[in-house]
């Protein structure tokens, strides 16, 4: 009986039984390729036909202390890693082209090498001369980091086994190819196989391995999602090309908190860590209608940022809703609540919303700050300069408290803010010294702050 063929999308990893020009899952064109099944033993139909060997079991009581971490000396990187680099761990770093992934990892490699680790940087995209050129530009050319340029996975593993490094960087996983897999480099089969082999090598040889991953146009790491399940830590390097800020975000970490972020600034000498992101994001703020300071939280770190809104009459029959740095669906919900529960209409008005500095906000605690920015822009009335706002809005117009309010208020007080607008259930922190305004619901907030101008 003939084996059925499987076709897999190189962009999202979706499988189907027939080939087509466009993937039904991610809508990418010419990304579907034939995937050959893994070979089973000759004449073997099941694993039960042949007995395997017993696996030695280990007791929980025999486990010693947690493995020590190696600090890089870059506070923002160590924060995202959960306190430093863990031995025998596998990490995956993704980001847009040209965002600075290779620069960040080369700087990290130099720091770890200076701290006593044996480090190897293997590039499949650049020659060793190109990597040396970048290291010279960054002032890292005297660091004891070994370089190599290779894409053959068998040769790479042989070299790593002979050199016995403590830390290895593979840039990138999409350029690696295993000679026993009949598909092109970058295909789903190759990426999955190479990631599996490198992760297994990291666990069995006590080597920390970082793999760089390309991303799709949607921003997700290209290739099968199973790669993200294989590794211990998944990091995304984010940023807008028009801004000098770069954000290293942890979306999975077996050795520390997920959703932690590190903030860097792109300079002529490479990436410099930003130790006080809130002050940097607010450094160029000028109070105006539609400008609001949001007391946010990224991972375990409180971070203040500016939310800007602009409301203008629309010349079109269908008003425009444009969002940068926030969820467009949540903006539509806030507009509906303002119109339905507070009597603030936005019909016939274009609405533009922006999170300053290229930051992306995902937590619902920004609801109240967004609503305040929208009403402020519509009424052309600026909020008090030294006020910070946060709170979640329900569909009924009620205001709900958010987590870690104490840290948010303390961060605001540290930066010189004197007042805060929060939901009623929020407890005032005596140490913060902020004057609190706690409206009952969204309608009360709009009436209290903008009632005279409405």
């Amino acid at each position: 009986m003939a084996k059925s063929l499987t076709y897999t999308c190189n962009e999202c990893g979706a499988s189907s039984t027939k080939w087509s020009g466009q993937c039904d899952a991610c809508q990418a064109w010419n990304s579907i390729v034939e995937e050959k099944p893994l070979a089973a033993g000759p004449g073997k139909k099941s694993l039960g036909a042949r007995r395997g060997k017993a696996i030695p079991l280990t007791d929980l009581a025999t486990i010693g202390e947690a493995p020590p971490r190696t600090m890089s000396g870059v506070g923002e990187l160590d924060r995202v890693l959960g306190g430093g680099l863990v031995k025998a761990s596998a990490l995956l770093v993704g980001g847009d082209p040209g965002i600075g992934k290779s620069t960040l990892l080369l700087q990290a490699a130099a720091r770890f090498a200076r701290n006593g680790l044996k480090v190897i940087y293997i590039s499949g995209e650049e020659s060793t001369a190109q990597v040396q050129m970048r290291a010279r530009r960054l002032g890292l050319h005297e660091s004891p980091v070994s370089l190599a340029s290779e894409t053959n996975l068998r040769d790479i593993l042989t070299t790593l086994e002979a050199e016995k490094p403590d830390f290895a960087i593979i840039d990138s996983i999409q350029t690696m190819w295993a000679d026993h897999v009949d598909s092109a480099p970058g295909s789903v089969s190759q990426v999955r196989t190479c990631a599996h082999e490198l992760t297994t090598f990291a666990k069995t040889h006590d080597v920390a391995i970082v793999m760089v991953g390309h991303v799709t146009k949607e921003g997700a790491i290209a290739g099968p999602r199973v790669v993200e399940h294989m590794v211990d830590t998944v990091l995304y390097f984010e940023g807008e090309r028009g801004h000098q800020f770069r954000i290293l975000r942890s979306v999975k970490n077996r050795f520390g908190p997920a959703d932690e972020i590190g903030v860097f600034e792109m300079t002529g000498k490479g990436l410099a860590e930003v130790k006080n992101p809130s002050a940097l994001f607010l450094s160029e703020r000028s109070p105006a209608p539609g400008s609001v300071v949001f007391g946010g939280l990224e991972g375990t770190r409180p971070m203040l940022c500016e939310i800007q809104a602009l409301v203008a009459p629309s010349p079109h029959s269908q008003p425009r809703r444009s969002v940068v740095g926030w969820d467009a669906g949540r903006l539509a919900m806030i507009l509906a609540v303002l119109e339905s529960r507070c009597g603030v209409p936005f019909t016939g008005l274009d609405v533009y919303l922006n999170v300053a500095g290229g930051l992306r906000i995902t937590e619902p605690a920004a609801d109240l700050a967004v609503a305040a920015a929208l009403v402020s822009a519509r009424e052309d009335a600026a909020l008090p300069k030294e006020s910070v706002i946060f709170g979640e809005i329900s569909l009924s117009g009620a205001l709900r408290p958010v987590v870690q309010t104490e840290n948010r208020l303390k961060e605001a007080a540290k930066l010189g803010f004197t007042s805060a607008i929060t939901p009623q259930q929020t407890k005032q922190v005596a140490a913060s010294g902020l004057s609190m305004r706690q409206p009952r619901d969204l309608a009360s907030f709009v009436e209290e702050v903008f009632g005279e101008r409405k």
Side-chain angles (χ1 to χ4, degrees), residues 192-251:
R192 182 173 56 217
T193 301
C194 293
H196 178 264
E197 293 289 345
L198 288 167
T199 303
T200 303
F201 186 90
K203 303 299 181 186
T204 56
H205 291 77
D206 286 341
V207 181
I209 294 181
V210 174
M211 295 170 275
V212 178
H214 296 167
V215 297
T216 62
K217 59 184 179 181
E218 288 80 18
I221 294 179
R225 290 301 294 269
V226 70
V227 174
E228 298 187 30
H229 293 280
M230 290 180 187
V231 298
D232 299 308
T233 303
V234 180
L235 308 177
Y236 278 86
F237 203 40
E238 306 171 351
E240 299 289 340
R241 291 185 180 273
H243 296 279
Q244 71 272 31
F245 309 122
R246 301 288 186 269
I247 296 174
L248 183 65
R249 186 184 302 274
S250 169
V251 297

Side-chain angles (χ1 to χ4, degrees), residues 61-104:
T62 62
I63 297 176
E65 295 182 0
R69 296 175 183 265
T70 303
M71 307 288 284
S72 68
V74 182
E76 296 299 301
L77 177 61
D78 292 333
R79 170 191 288 270
V80 176
L81 292 177
L85 185 68
V86 177
K87 196 176 183 181
S89 59
L91 300 89
L92 181 64
V93 179
D96 293 332
I99 204 69
K101 301 185 298 296
S102 299
T103 299
L104 173 68

Side-chain angles (χ1 to χ4, degrees), residues 107-126:
Q107 289 182 248
R111 288 296 191 108
F112 281 119
R114 290 172 185 171
N115 289 344
L117 297 187
K118 185 175 182 180
V119 181
I120 293 180
Y121 187 105
I122 300 175
S123 176
E125 301 177 347
E126 300 174 289

Side-chain angles (χ1 to χ4, degrees), residues 29 34 39 86 128 134 136 145-146 162 178 230 246 254 294 313-314 338 368 373 377:
W29 287 94
E34 179 184 340
V86 177
T128 53
R134 183 189 295 115
R136 189 173 294 108
V145 177
S146 301
M230 290 180 187
R246 301 288 186 269
R254 290 175 179 159
F294 164 58
S314 176
L338 283 171
L368 185 57

Side-chain angles (χ1 to χ4, degrees), residues 16-101:
S16 61
T17 57
K18 63 180 182 179
W19 184 89
S20 61
Q22 184 182 28
C23 174
D24 293 333
C26 67
Q27 309 303 317
W29 287 94
N30 300 321
S31 63
I32 297 180
V33 296
E34 179 184 340
E35 181 178 8
K36 295 189 177 181
L38 296 176
K44 303 296 182 182
K45 295 185 178 179
S46 67
L47 291 174
R50 182 178 178 183
R51 291 175 62 86
K53 62 180 181 180
I55 302 172
L57 303 178
T58 307
D59 230 79
L60 271 177
T62 62
I63 297 176
E65 295 182 0
R69 296 175 183 265
T70 303
M71 307 288 284
S72 68
V74 182
E76 296 299 301
L77 177 61
D78 292 333
R79 170 191 288 270
V80 176
L81 292 177
L85 185 68
V86 177
K87 196 176 183 181
S89 59
L91 300 89
L92 181 64
V93 179
D96 293 332
I99 204 69
K101 301 185 298 296

